[in-house]
Coordinates of all heavy atoms in Angstrom, one line a residue:
Chain A
M1 N -19.5 0.8 8.2 CA -18.0 0.7 8.3 C -17.5 2.1 8.6 O -17.8 3.1 8.0 CB -17.5 0.3 6.9 CG -16.0 0.3 6.8 SD -15.4 -0.5 5.3 CE -15.3 0.8 4.2
G2 N -16.6 2.3 9.6 CA -16.1 3.5 9.9 C -14.7 3.7 9.2 O -13.9 2.8 9.3
L3 N -14.5 4.8 8.6 CA -13.2 5.0 7.9 C -12.4 6.0 8.7 O -12.9 7.1 9.0 CB -13.5 5.6 6.5 CG -13.8 4.6 5.4 CD1 -14.1 5.4 4.1 CD2 -12.7 3.7 5.1
D4 N -11.2 5.7 8.9 CA -10.2 6.7 9.4 C -9.6 7.4 8.2 O -8.9 6.8 7.4 CB -9.1 6.0 10.2 CG -9.6 5.4 11.5 OD1 -10.5 6.1 12.1 OD2 -9.2 4.3 11.9
L5 N -9.9 8.6 8.1 CA -9.5 9.4 6.9 C -8.1 9.9 7.1 O -7.8 10.7 8.1 CB -10.4 10.5 6.6 CG -11.8 10.0 6.2 CD1 -12.8 11.2 5.9 CD2 -11.8 9.1 5.0
F6 N -7.2 9.6 6.2 CA -5.8 10.0 6.4 C -5.6 11.4 5.8 O -6.3 11.8 4.8 CB -4.8 9.0 5.7 CG -4.9 7.6 6.3 CD1 -5.2 6.5 5.5 CD2 -4.6 7.4 7.6 CE1 -5.2 5.3 6.1 CE2 -4.6 6.2 8.2 CZ -4.9 5.1 7.4
D7 N -4.5 12.1 6.3 CA -4.2 13.4 5.7 C -3.6 13.2 4.3 O -3.7 14.2 3.5 CB -3.1 14.0 6.6 CG -3.6 14.6 7.9 OD1 -4.8 14.4 8.1 OD2 -2.8 15.1 8.7
A8 N -3.1 12.1 4.0 CA -2.5 11.8 2.7 C -2.4 10.3 2.5 O -2.5 9.6 3.5 CB -1.1 12.4 2.6
P9 N -2.3 9.8 1.3 CA -2.2 8.4 1.2 C -0.9 7.8 1.9 O 0.0 8.5 2.1 CB -2.0 8.2 -0.4 CG -2.3 9.5 -1.0 CD -2.1 10.5 0.0
L10 N -1.0 6.5 2.2 CA 0.2 5.9 2.7 C 1.0 5.2 1.6 O 2.2 5.3 1.6 CB -0.2 4.8 3.7 CG -1.2 5.1 4.8 CD1 -1.6 3.9 5.6 CD2 -0.6 6.2 5.7
R11 N 0.3 4.7 0.6 CA 0.9 4.0 -0.5 C 0.4 4.7 -1.8 O -0.8 4.9 -2.0 CB 0.5 2.6 -0.5 CG 1.1 1.8 0.6 CD 0.6 0.3 0.6 NE -0.8 0.2 0.9 CZ -1.6 -0.5 0.2 NH1 -1.3 -1.2 -0.9 NH2 -2.9 -0.6 0.5
I12 N 1.4 4.8 -2.7 CA 1.0 5.3 -4.1 C 1.7 4.5 -5.1 O 2.8 4.1 -5.0 CB 1.5 6.8 -4.2 CG1 0.5 7.7 -3.4 CG2 1.6 7.2 -5.7 CD1 0.8 9.2 -3.6
T13 N 0.9 4.1 -6.1 CA 1.4 3.5 -7.3 C 1.5 4.6 -8.4 O 0.7 5.5 -8.5 CB 0.5 2.4 -7.9 OG1 -0.8 2.9 -8.0 CG2 0.5 1.2 -6.9
W14 N 2.6 4.6 -9.1 CA 2.9 5.7 -10.1 C 3.4 5.0 -11.4 O 4.4 4.4 -11.4 CB 4.0 6.6 -9.5 CG 4.2 7.8 -10.3 CD1 3.7 8.2 -11.5 CD2 5.1 8.9 -9.9 NE1 4.2 9.4 -11.8 CE2 5.1 9.9 -10.9 CE3 5.9 9.1 -8.8 CZ2 5.8 11.0 -10.8 CZ3 6.7 10.3 -8.7 CH2 6.6 11.2 -9.7
T15 N 2.6 5.3 -12.4 CA 3.0 4.7 -13.7 C 3.7 5.8 -14.5 O 3.3 6.9 -14.6 CB 1.7 4.3 -14.5 OG1 1.0 3.3 -13.8 CG2 2.0 3.9 -15.9
L16 N 4.8 5.4 -15.1 CA 5.6 6.3 -15.9 C 5.7 5.8 -17.4 O 5.7 4.6 -17.6 CB 7.0 6.5 -15.4 CG 7.2 7.1 -14.0 CD1 8.6 7.2 -13.6 CD2 6.5 8.5 -13.9
K17 N 5.8 6.7 -18.3 CA 6.2 6.3 -19.7 C 7.7 6.6 -19.8 O 8.3 7.3 -19.0 CB 5.4 7.1 -20.7 CG 3.9 6.7 -20.7 CD 3.1 7.5 -21.7 CE 1.6 7.0 -21.7 NZ 0.8 7.9 -22.5
D18 N 8.3 6.0 -20.8 CA 9.7 6.0 -20.9 C 10.3 7.4 -21.1 O 11.4 7.7 -20.6 CB 10.3 5.0 -21.9 CG 9.7 5.3 -23.3 OD1 8.7 6.1 -23.4 OD2 10.1 4.6 -24.3

Side-chain angles (χ1 to χ4, degrees):
Chain A
M1 173 171 96
L3 277 176
D4 289 324
L5 297 180
F6 297 121
D7 284 1
L10 308 176
R11 294 179 287 133
I12 283 184
T13 52
W14 187 356
T15 298
L16 297 182
K17 289 182 179 170
D18 55 352

